[in-house]
Structures are given as structure tokens and as C-alpha cells.
Amino acid sequence: MLPNFYICTSCNEKLFLPFREAYYYLGSSPIGQLIRNEDLFAIPVRPAWCKTCSNLCIAEDIASLRDFENACGAVRSGKPVEYPLETEHMDQDMAISKIQSYLRWRMSRRHKPRALCCGGHDFLYTDVEQPLFKHAGCDFGSMEPQYWLPGSHNWQGPGISSPADIRIYDAEGELLGQLTWHKREENKWDTEKLSYPRAVEE
């Protein structure tokens, strides 16, 4: 679970994640055209401090191949898993299909995890006890996560009454674009192209 924000223990400055979700796009249609919802796979993420951007972000959370194999075995035997995808409320056939797709992706993945703000590899996960991180301009405090319990809501989801602007990436974590409008009748998304602000060395 991602924190809602981080707050400095000294000056109470708050830092927020610029975005909280992202998807791998594993389909074949060009970005800028409609893409199928079933070709989108939620990226397992953790909160991180990007040393390149000097800011909070989310970063890919890529566990070992063994973890993916274990998840696949558990789902096949009817057990729910939380990583790489929450399957507790899924139909078993759908859960098996999704986890198998994640396993195939993990087996072909070449690069180490990226910070999804800039695509760089120089970042620090912030959901661990140590090391603590500080924000610019404060020499005394450290940043601590704050969580709110989710509440009920009844508004329309992203992409229905306003553009979703949810980032999508290729299988190696390279930014491709973003989802904009959801075509519910077709179960597809309008997309527009995006790219990282600058080239990042591997």
C-alpha cells in the first residue's frame, strides 16, 4: 500500500507522490490509437526517492523469478496471492491467465527496476526502516510516511468524466504514453504518446 504523503518530522513539510499507478502495455497497437484493456498490466510499484529528479516517485517493484513462479503455483492450486497482482476476488481462470502473463514478462525482463518518473535506476525505496531520507532545506528532520484508510466513493472512475492521464510503459519500463479516455463499450482506451524528459543511460 502506498502512503498518501510523507511529512518531515522537523518542519512538517509534506511531499506527495506525483502519480500512484502505472501499467505495462504488452499489446501491439501503436500508442496514439485505441488499445485493449486486456493488454494492460498493473505495474507492481513501491514508493521511492529518485536521486536523479530529487523527488518522490513510484518505482518498479520487480521480485525474483522464483517469487513469480511461486505465485503462479499458488494461483493454480486455488490460493490467492497479493504479488504481482491481487487475485483474492478474481475468477480463478482469469487469475491464472494474468499471473502466467506476469511470469512470461518476468522471464523476459532484462533491465533492473526503474524509477517511473524519469526511467533512471538511481533511486532509494522509501518503504524500509533504513535509510531515512531528508528533503532539501531541512537538516534536522526525516520524512515519514502517512497513511489514510480508504473511504467509500461514488464518483466515476478515471477516463469517464475527465482524462485518466495514467502512464503506460513497455515491458522494460520505458515510458510509452498515457491512457486518456476509456471507451467502456469497446473495453479500450484512447492513448497519447509520452516519453521520459531526457535519455537515461543504462
Side-chain angles (χ1 to χ4, degrees):
M1 180 179 175
L2 293 173
N4 294 88
F5 60 89
Y6 284 78
I7 188 167
C8 179
T9 57
S10 176
C11 68
N12 291 325
E13 180 170 343
K14 293 179 182 178
L15 296 179
F16 295 85
L17 294 166
F19 56 96
R20 304 175 61 83
E21 64 179 321
Y23 290 84
Y24 294 121
Y25 172 55
L26 305 182
S28 57
S29 296
I31 301 302
Q33 298 184 9
L34 287 175
I35 65 173
R36 302 186 310 166
N37 196 62
E38 54 263 39
D39 291 330
L40 296 169
F41 292 81
I43 300 178
V45 294
R46 292 170 63 186
W49 179 260
C50 179
K51 297 180 182 179
T52 302
C53 299
S54 297
N55 207 351
L56 279 173
C57 66
I58 54 175
E60 293 176 294
D61 179 18
I62 303 178
S64 69
L65 180 58
R66 176 62 60 85
D67 289 328
F68 282 80
E69 291 171 338
N70 290 341
C72 195
V75 169
R76 282 178 175 171
S77 65
K79 298 176 183 175
V81 297
E82 295 182 358
Y83 180 95
L85 179 73
E86 173 63 60
T87 64
E88 184 174 1
H89 302 293
M90 273 189 181
D91 170 83
Q92 187 176 8
D93 289 340
M94 174 63 72
I96 290 172
S97 175
K98 282 283 189 181
I99 296 298
Q100 285 178 337
S101 294
Y102 275 105
L103 176 59
R104 287 192 296 271
W105 163 79
R106 181 63 182 89
M107 291 174 68
S108 65
R109 175 72 184 222
R110 294 178 293 113
H111 294 100
K112 59 186 179 180
R114 297 178 186 264
L116 296 179
C117 49
C118 67
H121 303 291
D122 190 12
F123 64 86
L124 175 72
Y125 290 121
T126 59
D127 58 352
V128 294
E129 290 187 13
Q130 294 292 338
L132 299 173
F133 72 101
K134 300 175 181 290
H135 67 95
C138 186
D139 297 325
F140 303 104
S142 59
M143 303 302 292
E144 292 187 344
Q146 300 294 310
Y147 297 88
W148 294 333
L149 293 176
S152 61
H153 61 84
N154 56 8
W155 59 85
Q156 292 182 319
I160 304 301
S161 57
S162 62
D165 295 338
I166 297 173
R167 291 185 173 200
I168 51 176
Y169 299 77
D170 70 11
E172 294 294 332
E174 187 68 36
L175 180 60
L176 296 175
Q178 64 183 6
L179 306 175
T180 55
W181 296 99
H182 188 210
K183 309 293 187 181
R184 287 184 291 183
E185 297 79 10
E186 304 170 67
N187 203 25
K188 293 182 178 180
W189 285 89
D190 272 328
T191 58
E192 61 182 30
K193 293 182 180 180
L194 288 179
S195 59
Y196 287 126
R198 55 188 172 277
V200 175
E201 294 182 4
E202 298 298 340

